[in-house]
Amino acid sequence: MDVPLPDGLPPFEDRTDFENADRGFVATLAPGVVTAEDGRVVWDGDAYAFLDGDCPGTAHPSLWRQSQLCARQGLYEVTEGVYQVRGLDLANMTLIEGHDGVIVVDPLISAECAAAALALYRGHRGERPVTGLLYTHSHVDHFGGARGVLPREEEAGVPVLAPAGFLEHAVSENVFAGPAMARRAGFVYGAQLPKAPDGQIGTGLGTTLSTGTVTLVPPTVDITHTGQTETVDGVRILFQLTPGTEAPVEMNFLFPERRALCLAENLTHTLHNVLTLRGAPVRDARVWSRYLDEAIDFFGDGYDVAFASHHWPTWGHENVVRLLAEQRDLYAYLHDQTLRLLNSGLTGPEIAEELRLPPALEGAWHARGYYGSLNHNVKAVYQRYMGWYDGNPAHLWEHPPVELARRYVEVAGGPEATLAAARRYADTGDLRFAATLLNHLVFAHPDDEEAKEALAGVYERLGHGAENGPWRNVYLTGARELRTGPGGPAVATDTAETTSALAVGMLLDSLAVRIDGPRAAREPQLIIDLVVIDEQRRHRINLEHGALTHRSLPLHRTPRPHAGLTLTLTRPELLGLLAGKGLAGIETEGDRGLLKRLFSYVTAPDRAFAIVTP
């Protein structure tokens, strides 16, 4: 292994996590494979059977241990009336038994996996109907499988609970920047890597993402404040809102009669991400820490077990409090020490090299950087406060990657000299600088196969030595792409069903970010009014100077200047129009050609853009 093991690793003889991960086991799905209607495999948990063996030289022993825990699959009893299905997607699905049926918490990413998880539960606990659906937060791995447990024909009268603001954040993240995030997520989760000791072994948060159908059942009950209590199918639930932590909207909640506490994704058995490598708004580590502290006080002594949206539960009240306190201090330390060093003049990368956790946290398995690393989280805290610019004028207006690369290679003495220097650094173990030199060489000379293979080899060595799951996957996927190309497009999260949940204003925002501004800037002002019947609102679209803007008005208001085209339609007809179904059945007044001109400026995202090459 090229990267030495860090000091402070907890003892591998401590098997508490393994005991907790196996506790309450009921049954496994056998075979552990889920397919779509067309026979396509969307989940293969059996592919991780190799993790039963000893850690090879191609994996960090600490990440191997975490991956062994995450690969456990099946139905587990958490406490009386509370069950989890783990290992059938990146996240867990929790089932709370009520008077007449079962409440589903976080129905995984895809409908196929959620349906398989529910079937596994019903096979051992009876054909209980779904009497409630609960989303802990707004990330797709916690709502995408909704239709797998609550089909349209069974939806009527079933309450769907979520933190206030859930719908806006759930769909906007997967639509506005969805294509780019999905492309980068392919690196983070190692989607195209083989499941093997020298390939994808997990993500630290779970194994990988399922690739089935992403769906969404809109919430019917908003959780608006901490202390709110709801009763679903005879089950009382006490909520704590935690906005701005792991997700923009998130919540913890207690089942008082079961003495079971759900901590969503605010507390897992890893240091989480302050900024995901796939991209997202930077999270607030300070607020995250404070909500964990609030949970200790707010829920008091009302629980004997805590479970979460990932990983395995923790039993024993004092054990849960200890876990909450240590994770609280983990995010607080990360935040405060980054600010302390920032205010001493250090930049993000400099702080990331200097900062280490206190021994008590560094030596806790649950605080290891399996999913979020200390290194990239420090840079995220810096970014939250200071942005991308570190204050050094030399970094204010640097050349873009290709032009910068050409100049570095020239200064190094040309391609052959650059390649030779990179190999010398790699041979001495400085893989980081070898990767930097070779990356410049590949960007300056993208057809140089020898340079690409050398860089792929360095990425492979860095990946095999990484304790962090996403880092390993990013390095190994980078190596794969250098050797074989980008492969197929990323899985789309901006599906028809997620898009259909957008408010009209957000639908128009999603259109605006796809306008080819330079071409549209040549267009004279173009105004279209949408009279949305079921909203009883007028939405004015204005395309001018290459920018599409819009505003919502009362139905009776007709602003000046008059629109060149007015469409009177329902929201479903608007969705169809944006999906390319045309104007059939839609009432129009004015120049229909304006719509064709508008759509001529709408571009399609590239779902397989280059990352490791120009």
Side-chain angles (χ1 to χ4, degrees):
M1 182 170 298
D2 299 294
V3 180
L5 294 182
D7 296 331
L9 271 176
F12 281 80
E13 297 77 19
D14 180 359
R15 303 289 292 179
T16 304
D17 285 335
F18 288 89
E19 293 165 5
N20 285 342
D22 291 333
R23 180 170 171 173
F25 175 74
V26 177
T28 189
L29 180 69
V33 177
V34 180
T35 57
E37 286 186 0
D38 60 6
R40 178 174 55 93
V41 174
V42 301
W43 180 260
D44 185 359
D46 293 346
Y48 293 93
F50 63 85
L51 287 166
D52 291 340
D54 293 335
C55 181
T58 54
H60 193 295
S62 181
L63 180 59
W64 186 267
R65 173 191 181 277
Q66 181 78 352
S67 297
Q68 288 180 319
L69 289 160
C70 290
R72 281 158 158 72
Q73 182 259 100
L75 175 68
Y76 297 81
E77 183 181 32
V78 177
T79 190
E80 184 178 358
V82 179
Y83 290 81
Q84 281 193 315
V85 177
R86 305 199 285 271
L88 284 187
D89 212 321
L90 181 70
N92 303 330
M93 188 167 93
T94 305
L95 302 115
I96 314 296
E97 294 178 350
H99 287 179
D100 302 314
V102 64
I103 305 163
V104 175
V105 179
D106 287 356
L108 308 181
I109 295 175
S110 57
E112 295 86 349
C113 287
L118 183 60
L120 177 61
Y121 165 81
R122 284 173 169 167
H124 296 272
R125 296 297 298 166
E127 290 292 325
R128 301 166 187 259
V130 172
T131 49
L133 184 58
L134 203 158
Y135 304 131
T136 59
H137 62 290
S138 54
H139 292 152
V140 69
D141 50 326
H142 305 276
F143 68 78
R147 289 295 178 199
V149 299
L150 195 59
R152 291 185 186 277
E153 61 271 18
E154 299 174 17
E155 182 181 352
V158 177
V160 181
L161 290 78
F166 166 88
L167 199 58
E168 176 183 351
H169 290 288
V171 294
S172 63
E173 178 171 303
N174 293 295
V175 173
F176 293 162
M181 284 189 182
R183 177 73 178 101
R184 282 175 39 168
F187 274 65
V188 170
Y189 297 105
Q192 298 187 39
L193 295 174
K195 284 28 175 207
D198 61 349
Q200 207 268 8
I201 64 173
T203 67
L205 193 66
T207 48
T208 190
L209 305 173
S210 66
T211 57
T213 308
V214 175
T215 62
L216 175 61
V217 180
T220 61
V221 179
D222 284 344
I223 306 305
T224 61
H225 62 276
T226 293
Q228 184 172 338
T229 302
E230 299 289 338
T231 299
V232 180
D233 192 13
V235 178
R236 189 162 61 96
I237 314 170
L238 173 64
F239 294 93
Q240 176 204 14
L241 281 184
T242 63
T245 52
E246 189 271 337
V249 291
E250 193 152 353
M251 59 188 184
N252 302 325
F253 42 90
L254 175 71
F255 299 96
E257 282 69 41
R258 311 293 168 86
R259 295 189 59 79
L261 175 62
C262 177
L263 291 166
E265 203 167 325
N266 290 316
L267 186 146
T268 55
H269 292 276
T270 178
L271 170 61
H272 212 293
N273 284 301
V274 176
L275 177 60
T276 64
L277 299 181
R278 65 180 169 84
V282 181
R283 298 157 186 174
D284 192 336
R286 176 184 61 90
V287 164
W288 199 332
S289 171
R290 288 185 177 179
Y291 279 122
L292 290 174
D293 188 54
E294 181 183 86
I296 295 174
D297 178 66
F298 179 70
F299 294 112
D301 61 355
Y303 53 89
D304 300 317
V305 61
F307 61 92
S309 301
H310 295 271
H311 299 147
W312 48 95
T314 299
W315 283 269
H317 182 79
E318 293 305 316
N319 293 332
V320 176
V321 171
R322 185 183 311 112
L323 183 61
L324 278 163
E326 288 177 353
Q327 287 262 315
R328 171 200 66 196
D329 296 343
L330 174 64
Y331 293 106
Y333 190 90
L334 167 68
H335 174 273
D336 295 348
Q337 295 310 305
T338 299
L339 266 291
R340 178 180 66 84
L341 294 171
L342 176 160
N343 284 318
S344 297
L346 274 67
T347 65
E350 291 168 337
I351 301 169
E353 291 298 305
E354 178 169 322
L355 191 61
R356 292 293 178 271
L357 293 175
L361 294 178
E362 191 173 53
W365 284 118
H366 67 83
R368 303 299 302 180
Y370 299 120
Y371 189 53
S373 75
L374 183 65
N375 188 285
H376 75 250
N377 277 340
V378 161
K379 296 168 187 171
V381 174
Y382 185 95
Q383 178 180 323
R384 182 177 179 86
Y385 286 93
M386 304 299 290
W388 61 269
Y389 177 48
D390 64 4
N392 186 330
H395 301 152
L396 182 60
W397 192 33
E398 292 184 302
H399 286 291
V402 170
E403 293 304 316
L404 192 64
R406 289 172 179 165
R407 288 159 174 79
Y408 267 107
V409 171
E410 181 185 0
V411 169
E416 291 182 3
T418 305
L419 180 60
R423 284 175 168 159
R424 287 196 301 273
Y425 280 104
D427 289 343
T428 60
D430 190 349
L431 299 177
R432 294 163 68 181
F433 192 63
T436 298
L437 282 178
L438 289 167
N439 179 67
H440 283 314
L441 181 53
V442 167
F443 269 68
H445 297 273
D447 296 326
D448 188 331
E449 296 300 324
E450 191 176 7
K452 288 198 285 189
E453 178 55 38
L455 180 54
V458 168
Y459 283 163
E460 203 165 57
R461 292 170 64 186
L462 284 165
H464 289 163
E467 185 182 18
N468 179 273
W471 282 35
R472 176 186 174 94
N473 294 334
V474 164
Y475 281 129
L476 296 185
T477 302
R480 182 189 182 280
E481 289 209 2
L482 285 164
R483 290 168 173 153
T484 65
V491 174
T493 55
D494 52 340
T495 63
E497 184 149 21
T498 56
T499 303
S500 70
L502 289 166
V504 171
M506 295 175 71
L507 281 169
L508 297 178
D509 283 340
S510 71
L511 188 67
V513 299
R514 293 174 59 189
I515 294 292
D516 183 339
R519 282 200 305 115
R522 299 193 292 268
E523 174 75 45
Q525 185 181 28
L526 187 156
I527 301 174
I528 298 175
D529 277 1
L530 305 177
V531 176
V532 184
I533 299 167
D534 33 4
E535 274 195 0
Q536 290 294 292
R537 299 288 293 178
R538 178 185 300 271
H539 293 267
R540 166 150 292 195
I541 299 172
N542 186 83
L543 179 63
E544 191 174 13
H545 304 125
L548 189 151
T549 58
H550 60 90
R551 61 181 182 269
S552 174
L553 304 164
L555 192 59
H556 65 271
R557 244 190 92 190
T558 306
R560 293 183 180 276
H562 290 298
L565 173 66
T566 298
L567 306 179
T568 302
L569 72 179
T570 64
R571 194 170 174 282
E573 287 173 333
L574 174 59
L575 288 166
L577 181 65
L578 295 177
K581 294 182 179 178
L583 288 167
I586 296 174
E587 180 184 335
T588 67
E589 179 186 343
D591 182 2
R592 286 187 170 205
L594 294 184
L595 191 66
K596 183 177 180 180
R597 282 163 54 193
L598 172 65
F599 284 163
S600 73
Y601 298 118
V602 178
T603 61
D606 181 355
R607 299 185 187 275
F609 55 79
I611 290 180
V612 295
T613 55

